Structure formats: C-alpha cells, structure tokens
C-alpha cells in the first residue's frame, strides 16, 4: 500500500514590517483604531491582540476583505471591514484613538502573479489595487513618451527614465506590452546588469507605474488630511513607508502640522503660528532593528513615523509644501 502523501506545511503567517516598534510607540493600545491599509491583516491583528477594543479595517482591494472573512472570525465584532480608499477614512469613522497606514504594495498582492505587481513572475500587466479602472498596460501602451518618462522619474526616481520610456514606445510600436515579464525585460535591457545585492533593474519603473495607476501619492496626502480629521485629541497616527518619496511626504506633513519647520529669519517680522494639530513622538523615523532585518529582509527600507493628535482644529494644507511630485499634466 502506498504511503499517504505528506500534508504540505501551512503557509507562514504574514508578519507586518515594524509591528513591534509600532506597538511600543503607541502603547498602551486601547479604544477604536482604523487600519487604512488592511492587506493581510497583520497590523489589525497586532492592534487587537495588544488591547484595542475595535479595529476598522479599510482596503480598496476586495481580496483583502475576502481574506479577512477567514481570520477575522476569531475577533467577532471587534473587527469591522470596509472596502474603500483610506483617503476617505473619515467617511467611515471619526473620534478614533488611532490610525495606522502601511503604504505601498502588500506581499499578498506581490505574491499573486495574476495581479501584475511583480517583475519576477509573469502575469497580466495590471497593478490595480482596487481591481477597477485603467490598468498598468493601459498606461504603458497609451501614455506619450515624455509623460511616461516623467512618471518614471518623479514617481520612481529612475535616472534612466527617458531611455526606458523611449524603449517602451519602440516596443509597443511592434506589439502591445501586455505582461509583467515583457515590461521587465524592456527595462532590464536599458540598464546595466545589477551587482550582487543590488535591486532588480525594473524595481523603480514598476514602483513608478504602480503609483501612477493607483494615484498613491494623491491618496497619501488626502489620507493624512483625513486622519487628522478622524482622530480624537490624544489619538495616534502611525505611518510605515518603504521609499524615500513617501517618507519625505509623511515627514513634511507631520513637521508642518506640528509646527516643527523652523523659526524663519530672525530679521523678519514675527508671524503668529496656528496651534499645531500634531505632536511628534520623535523627530527621526524609526527603522528596523537587527532582529527584524534577519527575520524579514523586506524591512530594510521601512521607516515608521508616529505623532499624537492635539485638540487644534483640522484644516487644509498646501500640498506643494509637502513635496507632492507633480506631473506636467497636474496629477
């Protein structure tokens, strides 16, 4: 009699980046929190296990909500689920004790080739977090060369943006670019072979296209403003970023809202500053420790910033002052 096939091991649970320092920075965890980037649920579960009375999980990806139906059953009505963009979080909840945002693409999305986020696995060139609207293929095949180069440079900090945009336009004249490996191959041929330990040549280009497809920078600024409106006095905002542009935007927003942008010239007339909307927990971002880097190499570029909401009224902010990258078309 043949031996029974071995049961494959269960997949390792998703461990969110910087969860331990985040929970330490906002301790004691209590009250109602909103996780604006629910993903696989790592932060939401961490907050619930640490003492939050309730967590509202928001995500524009329907897959995240579908997955949460399984693990969320353990928490009953302590977990609420909303499909939507965190840029409108205050439409779903106010008077919150805390908001957490984990920016960028999730491992859940990267690990599914059919979603089109990964340059390492072949799949349709999609990249839509909400699974609705124009795809990355639409952007790559329809955007004029100059605008495409601007996207790669401003959203991905890709120095070879013009060379890559030119190569994309030449390739799409022969046939539409429809898959992730097609696009990755075009980018790779434009750049030197990476040295051991360096990122894949297509990393910056895929980042830029994904950000453009999902309007991630616009959503980030709107989300920070929405968090300001949704948090109660004493509520805490924690944001995890994975690349320099996002981190600069979050840093600048919090500096402006905390009145920590410098005193100006001592020769200029004194200008009365409005009361700050946030108090910074630390002027410096929190990064991963050695243990986390050993457990999760993805954490190497992660930064955490935390601030506490004051009782000052929320208000509009100059997006140019935050450093929002602006394409010539205005988006």
């Amino acid at each position: 009699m043949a031996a029974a096939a071995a049961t494959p091991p269960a997949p390792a649970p998703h461990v969110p980046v910087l969860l331990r320092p985040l929970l330490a920075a906002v301790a004691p965890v209590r009250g109602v929190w909103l996780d604006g980037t629910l993903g696989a649920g790592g932060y939401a579960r961490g907050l619930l296990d640490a003492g939050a009375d309730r967590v509202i999980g928001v995500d524009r990806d329907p897959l995240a909500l579908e997955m949460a139906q399984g693990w969320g059953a353990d928490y009953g009505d302590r977990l609420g689920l909303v499909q939507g963009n965190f840029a409108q979080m205050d439409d779903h909840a106010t008077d919150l004790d805390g908001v957490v945002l984990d920016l960028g693409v999730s491992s859940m999305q990267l690990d599914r080739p059919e979603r089109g986020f990964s340059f390492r696995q072949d799949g349709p060139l999609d990249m839509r977090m909400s699974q609705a609207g124009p795809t990355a293929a639409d952007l790559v095949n329809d955007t004029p060369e100059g605008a495409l180069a601007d996207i790669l440079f401003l959203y991905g900090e890709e120095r070879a943006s013009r060379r890559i945009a030119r190569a994309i336009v030449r390739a799409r004249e022969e046939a539409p670019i429809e898959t992730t490996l097609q696009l990755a191959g075009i980018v790779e041929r434009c750049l030197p072979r990476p040295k051991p330990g360096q990122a894949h040549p297509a990393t910056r280009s895929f980042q830029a296209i994904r950000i453009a497809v999902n309007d991630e920078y616009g959503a980030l600024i709107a989300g920070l403003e929405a968090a300001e409106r949704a948090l109660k006095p004493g509520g805490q905002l924690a944001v995890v970023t994975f690349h320099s542009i996002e981190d600069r935007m979050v840093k600048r927003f919090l500096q402006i809202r905390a009145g920590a942008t410098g005193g100006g010239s001592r020769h200029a007339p004194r200008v009365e500053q409005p009361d700050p909307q946030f108090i910074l927990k630390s002027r410096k971002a929190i990064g991963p420790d050695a243990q986390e880097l050993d457990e999760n190499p993805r954490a190497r570029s992660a930064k955490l910033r935390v601030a506490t909401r004051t009782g000052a009224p929320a208000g509009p902010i100059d997006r140019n002052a935050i450093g929002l990258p602006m394409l010539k078309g205005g988006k």
Side-chain angles (χ1 to χ4, degrees):
M1 181 176 177
T7 303
H14 171 66
V15 180
V17 169
L18 298 179
L19 177 61
R20 287 191 300 266
L22 187 153
L23 293 176
V26 302
V29 179
R30 57 193 171 202
V32 180
W33 280 70
L34 185 143
D35 180 351
T37 47
L38 180 64
Y43 291 98
R45 281 179 279 191
L47 289 164
L48 288 164
D49 292 341
D53 297 325
R54 189 164 186 264
V55 171
I56 301 163
V58 178
D59 206 297
R60 52 178 160 176
D61 190 336
L63 176 62
L65 282 296
E66 180 183 325
M67 292 174 59
Q69 297 292 339
W71 63 260
D74 295 339
Y75 297 98
D77 59 8
R78 293 177 64 207
L79 176 69
L81 300 174
V82 175
Q83 183 175 352
N85 192 321
F86 65 74
Q88 291 91 38
M89 70 174 77
D90 55 325
D91 290 344
H92 309 300
T94 55
D95 207 33
L96 292 167
D97 293 277
V99 169
V100 60
L101 301 175
D102 171 23
L103 304 177
V105 66
S106 73
S107 57
M108 171 192 75
Q109 292 162 330
L110 283 172
D111 292 343
R112 292 178 178 253
E114 69 273 16
R115 299 300 303 277
F117 288 100
S118 176
F119 44 73
R120 299 186 185 279
Q121 305 177 79
D122 203 18
L125 194 55
D126 192 319
M127 299 194 195
R128 297 171 300 170
M129 291 181 176
S130 65
Q131 300 187 37
T135 66
D138 294 326
L139 185 149
V140 165
N141 288 295
D142 298 338
T143 304
E145 181 179 327
L148 188 56
D150 287 344
I151 288 170
L152 297 175
F153 181 74
L154 291 172
Y155 291 177
E157 298 182 303
E158 175 53 74
R159 288 178 292 181
S161 59
R162 297 196 180 284
R163 189 187 319 149
I164 294 169
R166 194 159 49 245
I168 288 172
V169 170
R170 283 200 301 265
R172 75 191 190 190
E173 287 172 351
E174 299 293 327
I177 302 167
E178 297 177 335
T179 72
T180 53
L181 291 190
Q182 268 183 286
L183 179 59
I186 294 167
V187 176
E188 282 185 273
R189 289 189 289 274
C190 292
L191 298 171
R193 185 184 297 275
K195 296 176 182 177
Q198 287 186 327
H200 189 284
T203 299
R204 292 180 183 273
S205 294
F206 268 62
Q207 170 190 303
I209 292 166
R210 187 202 80 225
I211 287 169
V213 166
N214 296 288
D215 188 23
E216 292 179 36
Y217 289 154
L220 172 55
I221 299 301
L224 294 171
E225 292 177 305
E228 183 179 290
R229 295 190 296 267
L231 285 163
K232 65 167 61 170
Q236 303 193 73
L237 172 62
V239 186
V240 176
T241 63
F242 287 89
H243 63 81
S244 58
I245 299 176
E246 285 178 341
D247 181 61
R248 284 198 302 268
M249 291 169 65
V250 174
K251 176 183 178 180
R252 187 65 178 166
F253 176 89
L254 292 176
Q255 284 178 332
I256 292 170
R257 290 321 217 186
T261 55
S265 171
R266 62 188 177 91
H267 301 292
R270 187 174 183 275
V271 178
E272 195 67 30
Q273 296 294 321
D275 292 336
Q277 288 86 0
F278 284 96
I279 298 170
L280 303 179
K281 282 290 184 80
S282 169
R283 287 182 177 270
K284 291 187 176 182
I286 300 169
D289 58 21
Q291 178 184 346
E292 180 152 10
L293 286 172
D294 185 56
E295 295 171 350
N296 185 4
R298 178 175 173 257
R300 66 186 181 278
S301 59
K303 292 183 178 180
L304 165 67
R305 295 188 184 273
V306 183
T308 303
R309 186 71 170 89
T310 69
I317 193 165
D318 180 1
R319 294 190 172 198
N320 291 327
I322 298 173
L324 176 65
M326 294 294 291
L327 301 174
K328 290 179 182 176
K331 185 175 179 182

